[in-house]
Amino acid sequence: MPREHTRTYFLGKLARELELRGLEASLRPDPPSLKVRDPDAALFSETVDCVAMPDGWFYRWSWGDVVESAEEPALAADRIVKVFTTGEPRPHPALGDA
């Protein structure tokens, strides 16, 4: 199925960028997504998927917010690393911007 191959391709590019930044990223096959974790903080992990939208493919947080365009895996990795290292709480859709 071409759509799944595209998704897996983009997730593989993001996994490489995350690993270069010291995070672990493992591909989950069905549906394709990445489980991302900091090896120094095993209790904190996040799932990132990749979805087709009208403007192209995008990486997306588990709660549905867009991380970055799949054409920019390095920028996406930088944003993900920032969540893992700032110590700030992750956004939650039920809380809005408050």
Side-chain angles (χ1 to χ4, degrees), residues 70-88:
E71 297 293 333
E72 298 289 346
L75 289 175
D78 289 343
R79 288 188 177 159
I80 293 167
V81 167
K82 190 172 185 178
V83 168
F84 275 80
T85 60
T86 61
E88 296 175 4

Side-chain angles (χ1 to χ4, degrees), residues 30-42:
D30 190 28
S33 62
L34 289 179
K35 181 175 182 180
V36 181
R37 66 187 275 298
D38 182 340
D40 296 327

Side-chain angles (χ1 to χ4, degrees), residues 6 19 25 28 30 34 42 49 54 56-57 59 67 70 72 80 86 89:
T6 301
E19 290 167 356
R28 293 179 165 183
D30 190 28
L34 289 179
D49 66 2
W57 286 85
Y59 298 117
V67 176
E72 298 289 346
I80 293 167
T86 61

Side-chain angles (χ1 to χ4, degrees), residues 7-83:
R7 184 176 308 197
T8 301
Y9 168 76
F10 284 129
L11 289 169
K13 291 179 77 162
L14 178 58
R16 171 136 172 83
E17 292 291 336
L18 291 167
E19 290 167 356
L20 289 171
R21 289 160 176 77
L23 297 180
E24 294 177 353
S26 56
L27 182 64
R28 293 179 165 183
D30 190 28
S33 62
L34 289 179
K35 181 175 182 180
V36 181
R37 66 187 275 298
D38 182 340
D40 296 327
L43 294 178
F44 181 50
S45 67
E46 180 54 56
T47 300
V48 176
D49 66 2
C50 188
V51 295
M53 298 179 141
D55 295 334
W57 286 85
F58 289 85
Y59 298 117
R60 187 174 66 173
W61 295 108
S62 61
W63 58 87
D65 288 352
V66 170
V67 176
E68 181 60 66
S69 167
E71 297 293 333
E72 298 289 346
L75 289 175
D78 289 343
R79 288 188 177 159
I80 293 167
V81 167
K82 190 172 185 178
V83 168

